[in-house]
Amino acid sequence: MSVRDRLLLGPLLIALLLALLWLDGFLDQLTCPAWLTNLGYPHPTLPPGIILFIVMVGLSIMAARELADILHDKAIDASRRITTLAAFFGLCVSSFIPRNFDPSVSTLGAGWDPATGGLIVSSSAVLVLIVALRFYSRHKNTEGVIAAAGGTMLAFVYLGLMFGFILAIRREHPVWTVAWVLLMIKACDTGAYFTGRAFGKRKLILWLSPGKTWEGLVGGVIASMAVGVIGVMLIDWKEHPQHLVLVGALTGLLFGLIGQVGDLTMSLLKRDAGIKDSGKTLPGFGGILDVLDSPLLVAPFAYWWLRLMLPQHV
């Protein structure tokens, strides 16, 4: 990976992310149109996460195609179409399950009990599995069906359900909280990369990711903790006024470490398939999956961490 490409494209990607999140927050303040109100939407302004969801759909589709290619490199006959549909369906299921189960509210989901959300996810997983098994056995041939159906379920969970937690965070928190979470994750990735190149000597996990070092991990976590401290002070967490620095540093530490595990998880898939990068979409970074690997794993943990730290936003 070219350092020059990273230095040129990295800031542009961050600027684009912040611009899109700003636009998402701007739309969140606009008056809700009458047709949406007539459908039972209970709030006076537009739903949060409109722009974010559109961007996530695009990224999920591109990432699913890369995942299908990785499966092909592993000699698994994965359909790009089915893999993409599974990822898209998982993202929709994760994003749009109603979070208000109050029977007195006359909107979609009225009268549902809290278990319904879990049953929706479970039923969706069953449906994806059935469709995958039917699709890959359509030629009356059983060879490779288990592996291909497993790849479909991987797309449903990895690029669908897990990715959807980012939008779940947006639905319950201000848009800049989402920016703070993502910037912490990528700060660790960036810090680990440049610290590792400058000072890295001791390999982290040689058999899995030869380029990663303990020095890089330490540098990345420090960068993530710094962003965590700065962000938590700017976001104004009134719940922890005496412990802002500690909360920010701890959050950065946690998200940074989990993000590196996410990066290693993608390294595991790529090494099994015998490839270095998931694609060539982003010069200096690789493919879309090479950029999303850490946020994908952090997102579920971040959602529950924020619920723990900010229970009143639930």
Side-chain angles (χ1 to χ4, degrees):
M1 294 183 182
S2 170
V3 177
R4 178 176 175 273
D5 288 336
R6 277 181 172 262
L7 290 174
L8 290 175
L9 186 58
L12 291 177
L13 291 176
I14 293 175
L16 178 60
L17 170 66
L18 294 177
L20 290 172
L21 288 175
W22 175 86
L23 180 59
D24 190 275
F26 173 76
L27 292 181
D28 187 20
Q29 301 174 12
L30 299 182
T31 302
C32 183
W35 65 267
L36 191 56
T37 302
N38 293 336
L39 289 176
Y41 184 70
H43 302 292
T45 57
L46 287 173
I50 294 176
I51 298 298
L52 187 59
F53 177 71
I54 294 173
V55 172
M56 288 171 62
V57 167
L59 292 175
S60 181
I61 290 173
M62 291 188 288
R65 295 175 68 84
E66 290 182 356
L67 180 60
D69 291 341
I70 291 175
L71 294 172
H72 272 284
D73 290 330
K74 188 56 182 172
I76 297 174
D77 186 21
S79 164
R80 277 187 168 187
R81 179 175 53 184
I82 293 297
T83 304
T84 301
L85 287 175
F88 175 71
F89 186 48
L91 179 61
C92 291
V93 169
S94 181
S95 300
F96 295 119
I97 291 178
R99 55 183 284 256
N100 187 347
F101 296 105
D102 185 355
S104 65
V105 179
S106 58
T107 61
L108 179 63
W112 290 358
D113 60 84
T116 303
L119 293 174
I120 290 174
V121 175
S122 301
S123 300
S124 301
V126 171
L127 177 61
V128 170
L129 179 59
I130 292 174
V131 170
L133 290 173
R134 177 64 185 89
F135 178 83
Y136 289 115
S137 62
R138 67 191 185 283
H139 297 306
K140 299 181 180 179
N141 183 3
T142 61
E143 185 176 356
V145 170
I146 293 177
T152 302
M153 296 306 298
L154 176 62
F156 175 75
V157 175
Y158 190 49
L159 301 178
L161 298 184
M162 291 171 63
F163 201 18
F165 274 93
I166 294 178
L167 191 61
I169 294 173
R170 173 66 184 104
R171 291 171 67 185
E172 298 184 7
H173 301 278
V175 68
W176 297 116
T177 300
V178 179
W180 175 60
V181 170
L182 295 177
L183 288 176
M184 270 188 291
I185 299 168
K186 302 319 291 184
C188 189
D189 289 346
T190 303
Y193 176 80
F194 286 106
T195 305
R197 287 184 63 91
F199 307 106
K201 294 181 180 180
R202 289 175 285 273
K203 299 299 182 180
L204 184 62
I205 305 180
L206 183 60
W207 62 271
L208 179 57
S209 185
K212 292 188 180 300
T213 63
W214 284 102
E215 292 82 0
L217 177 62
V218 171
V221 169
I222 290 175
S224 182
M225 292 173 68
V227 174
V229 171
I230 294 172
V232 79
M233 296 178 71
L234 292 176
I235 293 174
D236 186 25
W237 278 15
K238 297 179 180 180
E239 294 73 18
H240 308 280
Q242 290 84 25
H243 310 289
L244 284 181
V245 173
L246 177 60
V247 170
L250 182 59
T251 304
L253 172 66
L254 179 66
F255 290 3
L257 289 175
I258 296 174
Q260 291 306 292
V261 175
D263 190 289
L264 291 170
T265 300
M266 179 48 57
S267 295
L268 181 67
L269 300 181
K270 292 186 295 185
R271 188 155 294 274
D272 185 31
I275 60 175
K276 183 180 179 181
D277 297 323
S278 65
K280 299 180 180 179
T281 306
L282 302 171
F285 291 90
I288 299 298
L289 278 173
D290 292 312
V291 175
L292 292 181
D293 51 11
S294 45
L296 283 172
L297 189 61
V298 173
F301 288 93
Y303 175 83
W304 292 110
W305 178 256
L306 291 172
R307 275 208 164 195
L308 174 66
M309 302 305 295
L310 301 172
Q312 79 290 343
H313 287 285
V314 178

